[in-house]
């Protein structure tokens, strides 16, 4: 795999028409797209994900599943049938085991979200947890591995702590990536694409630095080149 194929562009736009225009503008530079809840739940969102697959692109459905086991299992099976490459689930052991059953036979890779990066220790305490973010993230990373989950979504700042826990085979996928010199927006703890790859990320997810750029194709090409050089 070429290093630039590890770039996933987050299609965080509100309509399929906008997403289609963006994909067309990016052309061959980008081969992997993340479809999150905003776009998936827009009219035609899931059909658009199928369309992307049919055009030869890879698709990451960021739906963060979490429900009773039977429901998660059936939902994961449907998403495997759709042909998605990656799907996110919350890293609760029952949820992960159920998704694993549902996605047992296909090419769908399951990624677990350990602890949302918008949560800090105080948020976990408020929600009734007796441990902090670092401890919970490490615990859930181990559980994800034990449940046969393929990878984790995590902040680039967590790569150094989590990679040794899960070993080399687990896919580590990180948002919170900003090319040097760009606006960090609401992302607080960021790394550049080169730093994230060097810190052992397998894939990086980039949204606004590409989707809101005046020239998205150039922004993506600059990031892809930076990755090729990592
Ligand atoms: O626009 P930006 O590059 O910040 O987009 C990052 C993408 O990754 C968005 O789709 C966002 O929802 C997602 N994400 C994130 N931080 C997390 C988990 C997911 O930014 N901790």
């Amino acid at each position: 795999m070429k290093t630039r194929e590890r770039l996933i562009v987050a299609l965080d736009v509100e309509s399929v028409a906008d997403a289609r225009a963006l994909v067309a503008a990016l052309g061959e530079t980008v081969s992997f797209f993340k479809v999150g809840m905003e776009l998936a739940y827009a009219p035609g969102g899931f059909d658009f994900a199928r369309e992307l697959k049919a055009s030869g692109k890879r698709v990451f459905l960021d739906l963060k599943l979490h429900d009773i086991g039977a429901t998660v299992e059936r939902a994961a099976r449907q998403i495997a049938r759709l042909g998605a490459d990656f799907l996110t689930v919350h890293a609760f052991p029952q949820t992960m085991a159920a998704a694993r059953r549902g996605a047992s036979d296909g090419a769908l890779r399951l990624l677990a979200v350990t602890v949302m990066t918008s949560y800090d220790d105080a948020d976990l305490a408020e929600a009734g947890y007796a441990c902090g973010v670092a401890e919970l993230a490490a615990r859930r990373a181990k559980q994800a591995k034990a449940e046969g989950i393929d990878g984790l979504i995590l902040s680039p700042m967590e790569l150094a702590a989590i990679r040794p826990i899960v070993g080399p085979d687990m896919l580590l996928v990180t948002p919170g990536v900003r090319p040097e010199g760009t606006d960090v927006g609401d992302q607080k703890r960021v790394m550049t694409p080169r730093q994230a790859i060097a810190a052992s990320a397998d894939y990086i997810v980039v949204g606004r630095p590409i989707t809101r750029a005046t020239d998205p194709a150039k922004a993506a090409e600059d990031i892809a080149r930076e990755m090729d050089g990592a």
Side-chain angles (χ1 to χ4, degrees), residues 120-225:
D120 61 18
D121 289 351
D123 293 310
L124 288 185
E126 187 188 15
Y129 289 83
C131 65
V133 169
E135 189 183 338
L136 187 59
R139 179 190 183 91
R140 289 180 169 174
K142 283 182 206 142
Q143 290 171 329
K145 192 174 177 180
E147 295 294 352
I149 293 298
D150 302 288
L152 301 173
I153 302 283
L154 73 187
S155 140
M157 303 299 173
E158 293 177 297
L159 288 164
I162 298 294
R163 178 59 84 189
I165 294 174
V166 297
D169 295 335
M170 202 157 215
L171 297 174
L172 298 184
V173 179
T174 176
V177 177
R178 288 290 176 271
E180 244 159 77
T182 52
D183 180 11
V184 299
D186 52 11
Q187 296 278 15
K188 292 189 183 73
R189 302 191 313 145
V190 300
M191 281 192 188
T192 66
R194 192 195 302 268
Q195 287 169 333
I197 298 287
S200 88
D202 294 289
Y203 291 87
I204 63 171
V205 178
V206 181
R208 289 161 291 182
I210 293 173
T211 59
R212 306 276 168 87
T214 31
D215 185 348
K218 182 181 181 301
E221 181 57 32
D222 288 348
I223 292 173
R225 287 224 182 104

